[in-house]
Amino acid sequence: MQATMISYTAKITELLPNGKIIKLRGYTNGNDDYQKAKSPSGKTWTYFSNDEQISNWIEKGGWIGVRIPTGLYLVDVDDTQEGELLKELLEGENVNHHVIKTPNGLQFIFKGETDQTNKQGQYQKYVNRLGITQDTRAAEKGYIVFPTENTKGRHVIAQSMGELDELPHYLYKVWNGQKTPSPMSYPYETSGSRDGDFYDLSRRLLTCGVSKKDALESLQLAYEYFVPYKEDFPLSTIKEKVESASKKINEGKTEAANEIADFEIHVSGLSDNKVIPKPFIVQDGSLYSIKTVKDVEVKNFVSRHVPFLTKEFHNVERPQVLYEITWKQGHKTISEVVPASTIAVRKELLELSEKGFSVNDNNVKNLISFMDFYLLDNELKKYYAVERLGHIKDSFIHPSITKDIEIMAIDHGEKQILESLKMQGTSDTWKKEVFERIKQHPKAVFFVLSSFASVIIKDLRLQPFIVDLSGTTSQGKTTILKAAASVWGNEGLMSEWNATKVSIERKAAYLNSFPLLLDDTRKANDKILKDVVYQFSGGRSKGRGSLKGSQREYTWCNILLSTGEVSLNEYAKNQGGVAARIIPLIDEPLKKDHENIIQLHEAMENNYGAIGVAFLKVWLENKKDLITEYHKFRKFYVDKAKDNEVLNRLAGYYAAVHFTGSVLKNKMSFEIDLKAIADLFDDIASENKSTDKPMQFLDEILTDLDSSRQDIYYDYLPQVHKAIYKKGQLYLMPAYLTRFLGVEEKATRREWLKRGLTVGKQEKNSYVDYKPLKHKGKTYRVIPVNMDIVKEIGFDFEEVSGNEFLNQ
């Protein structure tokens, strides 16, 4: 019970920090009306003050609500299909947000701190700039029903790992949709009314005061994400619609030129050895500009903060310049590292207002001018910088061992990772207090060794792969994930699977060589799990377009350590490539020794990070000599895999982990039973059908046929023709295999034939797996199955014929 209470308050704190928890009626006291269930339980709002009250109310059938706290803003789309489309757009545009699924649609949570967002207010059924109808909840004005165990169809489906982004401008309200509905019919999967609808939306946006620039950007986003069918409807059509609508309503506005004032550049004074260029001056800690009007100098206020550029960084990986910008706020000095574009582009500089910097629509132009002139008159000290960890060109980046290179962490999520790579205790105390308590458990040892191995797989020329620890609840999976995290830092390195694909990509890219640790697959969407497995093992983020071209793709080369109640292989049974990228560890990693687990948790609280740094130093000093040893381990496991294609591909990955254990044992005096690690490979091969994908497919096909024998052609042609059974031989129909195996068909049939699971014949110097079969007066092309294998698996397709039945 306590765990449930904590989970609700903790989740509310994560999604809606400082949100007040409200007592909602729910289905208490005989209420069965959904609308009434969402209302407060009394005439006035009642707030919960502790977890016990929440739990007791939920047990009675009550619901809980949360008031939107200051600094946040919520958009509610009451159409599931449009909500899913908007979710795809936000993920594709890398907008950090949370998502809650409701019975009617989706709710999106953003940051709401700027004046532009706050001006949106709270409303119902307004059409936004994308043409989607939405409701909103403003800070301290609205509330939502928060997902609990008794709110059917309502749950959190995505949570941003980084700091939330401000409400995007394309979600600003435009007109009242109750009076004038949106002209759009998303998604446009056929040609339909695309042309007319986009023209109508363009005209309405411009009529309602949206600028041509913002209207065009919004419509281009709608085109990219909401129009699957783009034949005869190129992107250029969108601009034509906007131009045509603009002419129609005689929009005569022209956008103001963003020209930087032609100030005379010379030194006006000094401040802490920093040159302040004229016409700017610093007075009482604020920035002013001086303008001469009829020979009289007039002082104009610019900003209450003076932005000093203190360092210049050059990205090691790509041509990029960043600056450290510093300003005083009271008695504190605030420093932010930003790309060079931030101090040159109006929109990007305005985003620093979120950090407390005094920039707004009125002074942004002058601040850009000031910083441009400041760079001309001040020579900044130059530094090298990286924007992620691990292998970067010829260096390995870790905050404890990297010198002379600044590690950037611009996003909140990246800062959390960097702050988690800390050290407590020593490598010896970690071995004695943490590893000592798991060393007798091969699966736990293998999982933790994988955390070490993550930083060396790039040197071993391996692609990223996954080690998946699965089993029923309360078997120590999360404990062992925490042990794996303790190799490199504290538990802040761990995340839940309940995250968006984009956020997982970004975290994998920032960690780069360090392990990505994800807990509890049941909290993730099944589709996301399958997509992440493929995307992660490719080591490169999904290619995404932008309005100007293509977004930069992220890369990584590390190991994903995952836990869950169900093996990741089960989420993509019919995807052969998945099994070849996952090392599955099934069932309890630790014996149920309550006292030992408590001591293990205490040990991990006091010992983390130091052992990983010690291992890194050993590896970096000796890797040239050690890498040759790895190939012996790889050959050993390739020989063990024999002809199993999936195990053959896993052999290199498994060998890397075993090899890492050998390095730790021989170079760092670890007590590791390497024979138990080797034996575990055999257990994986025997326990997991997914590691023998061709046999798994054959087993599934025979199971399907066994359960639908009416589809097998014995004496009478079935309506759905899957197979023929004649004289003790089973023949599979090619069309059935095409439907069942999909894209895996050719590779699977080739592997079956190679391994003798089907009966082939030689034809013009090559083997084919099909033959003509005459049955009941017709000839069919069929694929004969090896009946010895069928019987070995445990199937018998012999059936008593009608004549035999009459003679019994």
Side-chain angles (χ1 to χ4, degrees):
M1 184 62 68
Q2 185 66 20
T4 302
M5 291 189 288
I6 292 173
S7 67
Y8 288 136
T9 55
K11 187 58 69 176
I12 288 169
T13 300
E14 288 177 8
L15 265 67
L16 299 159
N18 301 316
K20 295 178 181 178
I21 306 174
I22 308 163
K23 189 175 187 179
L24 302 182
R25 184 170 180 178
Y27 294 121
T28 57
N29 300 322
N31 175 54
D32 59 0
D33 186 295
Y34 174 72
Q35 294 301 325
K36 290 181 180 178
K38 296 192 293 182
S39 63
S41 63
K43 292 182 180 179
T44 59
W45 286 4
T46 303
Y47 297 103
F48 288 108
S49 59
N50 59 58
D51 296 318
E52 186 175 358
Q53 291 176 351
I54 295 173
S55 178
N56 291 338
W57 183 241
I58 290 172
E59 286 182 3
K60 293 176 183 177
W63 292 359
I64 62 174
V66 182
R67 285 185 66 178
I68 305 302
T70 301
L72 295 182
Y73 193 78
L74 183 138
V75 170
D76 187 353
V77 178
D78 273 338
D79 182 292
T80 299
Q81 188 173 43
E82 288 191 346
E84 292 289 349
L85 289 171
L86 179 55
K87 179 173 176 288
E88 190 72 22
L89 183 154
L90 293 170
E91 290 181 1
E93 294 301 306
N94 299 327
V95 177
N96 287 339
H97 63 287
H98 305 318
V99 186
I100 296 175
K101 177 74 179 72
T102 71
N104 299 321
L106 278 77
Q107 295 175 333
F108 302 86
I109 300 171
F110 302 95
K111 185 186 290 184
E113 295 181 347
T114 65
D115 291 341
Q116 295 95 320
T117 300
N118 292 327
K119 285 177 184 176
Q120 295 298 303
Q122 182 166 298
Y123 54 81
Q124 286 188 318
K125 307 300 179 189
Y126 266 69
V127 180
N128 64 28
R129 294 179 181 182
L130 297 171
I132 291 176
T133 303
Q134 64 188 30
D135 304 338
T136 62
R137 312 283 192 281
E140 304 303 330
K141 293 182 181 178
Y143 71 90
I144 61 167
V145 177
F146 195 80
T148 60
E149 61 196 48
N150 60 352
T151 54
K152 186 178 180 181
R154 192 182 298 270
H155 52 274
V156 178
I157 59 174
Q159 182 176 345
S160 173
M161 294 173 67
E163 185 178 353
L164 292 177
D165 286 326
E166 195 75 24
L167 177 73
H169 75 85
Y170 41 82
L171 297 187
Y172 289 175
K173 66 179 179 183
V174 185
W175 75 84
N176 190 334
Q178 296 179 82
K179 295 181 179 179
T180 308
S182 171
M184 311 310 286
S185 301
Y186 299 132
Y188 289 94
E189 297 177 323
T190 60
S191 57
S193 58
R194 294 171 309 182
D195 292 77
D197 290 355
F198 270 88
Y199 172 78
D200 285 345
L201 182 57
S202 303
R203 181 175 54 81
R204 293 185 189 187
L205 292 180
L206 296 172
T207 301
C208 292
V210 179
S211 70
K212 279 177 64 176
K213 176 179 175 295
D214 286 346
L216 179 60
E217 182 179 346
S218 299
L219 292 177
Q220 286 176 328
L221 287 170
Y223 170 88
E224 181 177 352
Y225 291 96
F226 304 162
V227 184
Y229 189 78
K230 293 181 168 67
E231 288 189 25
D232 302 322
F233 195 64
L235 179 60
S236 58
T237 306
I238 302 301
K239 189 172 183 181
E240 292 170 6
K241 300 298 178 191
V242 175
E243 292 294 342
S244 178
S246 177
K247 281 184 180 179
K248 185 71 176 178
I249 62 176
N250 297 316
E251 182 184 61
K253 299 175 183 177
T254 57
E255 296 184 8
N258 186 21
E259 297 176 354
I260 295 176
D262 187 19
F263 292 128
E264 180 187 358
I265 302 173
H266 64 271
V267 176
S268 171
L270 295 173
S271 176
D272 298 329
N273 297 321
K274 301 177 182 70
V275 178
I276 306 300
K278 196 176 181 181
F280 296 97
I281 63 169
V282 175
Q283 194 172 86
D284 299 324
S286 297
L287 185 65
Y288 295 83
S289 66
I290 301 297
K291 187 176 182 180
T292 302
V293 180
K294 295 181 180 181
D295 298 327
V296 178
E297 286 190 345
V298 179
K299 183 174 71 172
N300 295 308
F301 177 79
V302 175
S303 171
R304 66 178 185 274
H305 297 142
V306 183
F308 294 109
L309 301 174
T310 51
K311 295 177 183 177
E312 180 179 310
F313 298 102
H314 292 261
N315 196 323
V316 172
E317 282 193 277
R318 60 192 180 97
Q320 183 194 28
V321 175
L322 305 99
Y323 293 105
E324 181 183 69
I325 181 171
T326 301
W327 67 90
K328 285 193 177 293
Q329 190 161 302
H331 297 292
K332 291 186 353 184
T333 298
I334 310 296
S335 295
E336 289 290 331
V337 176
V338 298
S341 60
T342 298
I343 65 170
V345 178
R346 174 191 183 94
K347 180 181 176 182
E348 294 186 31
L349 185 58
L350 282 169
E351 290 177 4
L352 279 182
S353 63
E354 298 177 3
K355 309 292 185 181
F357 180 53
S358 177
V359 57
N360 52 58
D361 285 332
N362 295 325
N363 67 4
V364 63
K365 184 176 177 181
N366 283 333
L367 285 171
I368 289 174
S369 299
F370 170 75
M371 286 186 276
D372 193 35
F373 300 151
Y374 184 93
L375 287 174
L376 189 65
D377 286 320
N378 293 272
E379 187 171 349
L380 303 187
K381 191 171 182 181
K382 294 176 174 58
Y383 299 83
Y384 286 109
V386 293
E387 54 186 346
R388 57 190 187 141
L389 304 163
H391 287 88
I392 305 292
K393 294 194 173 179
D394 297 327
S395 302
F396 192 95
I397 307 300
H398 183 289
S400 296
I401 63 176
T402 303
K403 308 297 180 186
D404 303 323
I405 298 178
E406 191 80 13
I407 303 173
M408 300 289 102
I410 296 173
D411 187 76
H412 179 74
E414 294 167 355
K415 289 178 182 177
Q416 180 182 334
I417 293 172
L418 203 56
E419 289 168 358
S420 299
L421 287 170
K422 293 181 177 179
M423 290 191 290
Q424 181 83 12
T426 66
S427 57
D428 286 336
T429 58
W430 187 90
K431 282 193 291 183
K432 292 174 183 176
E433 298 181 26
V434 177
F435 192 75
E436 186 70 23
R437 290 184 167 86
I438 67 170
K439 70 178 184 180
Q440 302 300 325
H441 308 285
K443 290 177 182 176
V445 171
F446 187 90
F447 201 71
V448 172
L449 290 182
S450 302
S451 185
F452 286 99
S454 182
V455 298
I456 72 171
I457 63 170
K458 184 175 179 68
D459 291 322
L460 300 180
R461 299 184 182 279
L462 292 172
Q463 286 187 305
F465 63 94
I466 299 166
V467 180
D468 178 45
L469 182 59
S470 61
T472 55
T473 189
S474 301
Q475 292 190 339
K477 300 184 298 295
T478 301
T479 299
I480 293 305
L481 187 67
K482 186 175 179 180
S486 73
V487 172
W488 301 108
N490 61 37
E491 60 185 297
L493 292 173
M494 296 167 54
S495 302
E496 290 188 344
W497 266 105
N498 183 20
T500 65
K501 289 184 287 186
V502 172
S503 66
I504 291 174
E505 285 178 5
R506 286 189 173 184
K507 187 164 188 177
Y510 190 76
L511 287 163
N512 190 19
S513 300
F514 293 95
L516 176 61
L517 307 153
L518 297 177
D519 188 29
D520 201 351
T521 52
R522 67 180 174 177
K523 294 183 178 179
N525 180 284
D526 291 1
K527 184 178 183 300
I528 286 180
L529 286 170
K530 185 172 66 174
D531 290 348
V532 167
V533 168
Y534 269 106
Q535 203 70 44
F536 178 84
S537 55
R540 182 177 291 273
S541 65
K542 177 182 176 181
R544 295 181 175 89
S546 69
L547 297 178
K548 297 179 181 178
S550 298
Q551 296 181 17
R552 183 167 63 92
E553 294 181 7
Y554 299 97
T555 60
W556 54 84
C557 189
N558 52 3
I559 299 175
L560 193 163
L561 298 179
S562 169
T563 68
E565 293 189 8
V566 179
S567 172
L568 281 176
N569 277 320
E570 294 300 316
Y571 290 100
K573 284 184 177 179
N574 296 331
Q575 309 281 340
V578 170
R581 299 298 176 91
I582 301 171
I583 297 177
L585 304 172
I586 299 175
D587 288 335
E588 58 182 2
L590 293 174
K591 289 182 180 178
K592 293 182 179 178
D593 184 342
H594 187 63
E595 184 178 349
N596 182 58
I597 291 176
I598 290 176
Q599 291 174 343
L600 178 57
H601 276 279
E602 290 177 353
M604 290 187 291
E605 292 294 329
N606 299 308
N607 296 278
Y608 52 81
I611 189 66
V613 172
F615 172 73
L616 261 179
K617 289 178 178 177
V618 169
W619 175 255
L620 295 174
E621 289 171 6
N622 300 279
K623 69 177 183 180
K624 288 184 179 178
D625 298 326
L626 292 171
I627 285 175
T628 56
E629 293 293 314
Y630 161 72
H631 297 289
K632 298 176 184 177
F633 287 86
R634 181 167 189 151
K635 184 179 184 306
F636 172 77
Y637 284 107
V638 168
D639 291 342
K640 265 180 172 284
K642 298 179 181 177
D643 295 327
N644 187 314
E645 183 181 354
V646 173
L647 285 179
N648 250 306
R649 293 174 67 181
L650 287 178
Y653 304 143
Y654 199 97
V657 180
H658 190 165
F659 166 68
T660 302
S662 174
V663 173
L664 290 167
K665 183 174 184 176
N666 296 324
K667 293 289 185 180
M668 299 180 66
S669 304
F670 269 65
E671 293 183 17
I672 303 177
D673 185 353
L674 295 178
K675 184 179 183 304
I677 298 298
D679 293 341
L680 191 59
F681 185 80
D682 298 325
D683 294 340
I684 290 172
S686 61
E687 287 179 7
N688 296 277
K689 289 182 179 179
S690 298
T691 57
D692 190 348
K693 188 58 68 173
M695 184 60 81
Q696 181 191 359
F697 280 139
L698 182 59
D699 190 294
E700 289 176 0
I701 285 170
L702 295 177
T703 300
D704 180 63
L705 291 173
D706 191 42
S707 63
S708 58
R709 294 200 175 204
Q710 71 276 8
D711 299 332
I712 301 176
Y713 194 171
Y714 288 98
D715 295 320
Y716 301 101
L717 180 65
Q719 287 187 346
V720 180
H721 192 182
K722 296 180 178 179
I724 296 173
Y725 189 84
K726 182 176 182 179
K727 295 180 181 180
Q729 176 66 50
L730 180 68
Y731 303 91
L732 303 177
M733 302 301 293
Y736 168 56
L737 291 183
T738 300
R739 292 195 304 273
F740 195 98
L741 296 173
V743 295
E744 302 279 352
E745 181 196 5
K746 288 186 179 179
T748 302
R749 284 175 61 178
R750 185 167 57 246
E751 190 64 21
W752 281 349
L753 190 59
K754 190 193 305 182
R755 293 172 55 179
L757 303 181
T758 53
V759 182
K761 66 173 184 177
Q762 190 167 8
E763 188 177 279
K764 294 183 180 179
N765 299 321
S766 65
Y767 281 87
V768 294
D769 64 347
Y770 57 84
K771 60 177 284 187
L773 174 71
K774 192 167 185 178
H775 185 60
K776 302 298 181 182
K778 287 188 177 181
T779 301
Y780 300 90
R781 175 182 280 190
V782 294
I783 299 163
V785 183
N786 185 331
M787 295 308 291
D788 291 336
I789 300 294
V790 174
K791 291 173 184 176
E792 184 181 316
I793 297 174
F795 292 95
D796 182 0
F797 291 93
E798 192 70 50
E799 288 205 345
V800 178
S801 68
N803 291 333
E804 289 175 336
F805 177 76
L806 293 173
N807 292 329
Q808 286 183 349

